[in-house]
Amino acid sequence: MKKMISIGLIGFGTVGTGVVKLLQENGDLIAGRLGAEIRLQRIADIDIRKSRGIPVDDALLTTDAADILNDPGIDIVVELMGGYEPARTFILAAMTQGKHVVTANKALLATHGDELFRSAMRHGVNIGFEASVGGTVPVIKTLKESLIANRIQSISAIVNGTSNFILSKMTDEGGSFETVLKEAQALGFAESDPAYDVEGIDAAHKLAILLSLSYGKKVHLGDLYREGITRIGEQDIAFARELGYRIKLLAIAIRRDREIEARLHPTMIPFDHLLANVNGNFNAFHIIGDAADSVFLYGQGSGMMPTASAVVSDIVDIARDVRKGIAGRVPPRVLDEEAIEEIRLMPFDQIRTNYYFRFSAVDRPGVLSRISGILGANDISIATVIQKGRMQGRAVPIVMTTYKARERDVRRALEDIDRLDIVMGKTVLIRIEDDKL
Ligand code: HSE
């Protein structure tokens, strides 16, 4: 059996540096567990002059990824450069050369995962991507292996640390969205384009990866309903608290009869729900399997060393197979690749859930009955109403929560309500997940 597994690293940024550091610091421990040494043979990056604060032999560094892709001595290519191209081309080239691949590239997997997974199968190599969702949290392995005997009934997850940090801060310490976003950016776990975090793009990528694993299917990103956190105001956070909820950006997947309901949006959840207590930049996953029942995973969804931990776990997993001369023991997705199908997502306007509305309505007799009349006409039943203060003739917030209603009916009702002369501005809508409502 091989006593040394060689890896080449493409991308020497934050996570790449973490991987090198982890291999330096825990290399002996890992070698003891694996029964072989993981040797870092080459590191490629466009900038090889910058100091990363760790000792690295200059001879390992190259600006040309081909030095890794064409090196017959390298068993595993670790792609940590991010972005779509040339990362996709490098991964495909590595596979063509019979090399295994480890990547943390969530955007690439969400859009080109099917192509990469099929290429891995065709070339008889492994692709590890534990770090792409949930950072250090072992959610990929859980879905692919630990819960293999289950039909996944649902997943509710906090998968974007930046949004969770912003919402937690706004909830616990107050402050406007803009101020708290600046703080998150300074802490270094936000994407370089903050829209990826706050508009839910990053989280939608992760939801797409989870869906392909849980249901063994391909997902078209454009079919996923996505809404970020930019419209959540301090007022809504305060009203949520009063109603016994906290607001979280949740990725939700639910198995319905022959369809999958999948959506990503800010969601009010009861404050005693485990997910409501996941704060700061932490990630968490509440998975329900038909046999396993509830499984809860929690941990750091980003950061140099936590993400490196997930990357190195993939390297070791693959190294074990390399030592035995096998590959593809666990397919990239849950199903055998032949069984992969297009996912059938439930049309978003058909979902049924609970809703919070914040109307901005003129304080005048009869206003409530006009609003509730439209809701009733659209089959929407009101659960609670809050109106604070009196500002006769001026706009005041009126908050309502509803029993289960259909999205299509809600949209139709809000269109009519927002056209009323007594309603000033667009009504705020936040979905609620509350079994008791
Ligand atoms: N920007 C991402 C987050 C980094 O905030 O979760 C980890 O994918």
Side-chain angles (χ1 to χ4, degrees), residues 15-28:
V15 180
T17 304
V19 167
V20 176
K21 191 165 182 297
L22 187 54
L23 291 173
Q24 286 173 351
E25 289 174 357
N26 289 3
D28 289 346

Side-chain angles (χ1 to χ4, degrees), residues 104 106 131-135 158-165 184 188-193 196-197 202-203 206 281-283 300-303 307:
K106 52 217 171 165
S132 63
V133 184
I158 294 171
V159 287
N160 182 265
T162 304
S163 307
N164 201 51
F165 176 87
F189 41 79
E191 300 297 311
S192 43
D193 175 356
Y196 271 69
D197 294 306
D202 174 74
K206 293 166 178 168
N281 66 325
F282 278 86
N283 282 198
Q300 284 284 353
S302 54
T307 310

Side-chain angles (χ1 to χ4, degrees), residues 113 117 122 140 156 163 167 170 193 208 220 226 229 235 246 256 323 374 392 395 431:
F117 295 150
R122 196 167 55 249
I140 305 284
S156 311
S163 307
L167 291 174
M170 285 174 73
D193 175 356
H220 292 290
R226 165 176 65 82
I229 61 167
Q235 270 194 78
R246 286 173 76 100
R256 300 291 182 200
R323 294 196 74 213
I374 294 177
Q392 250 171 337
R431 294 169 193 86

Side-chain angles (χ1 to χ4, degrees), residues 53-64:
I54 49 171
V56 177
D57 182 352
D58 280 350
L60 295 187
L61 299 170
T62 174
T63 51
D64 189 356

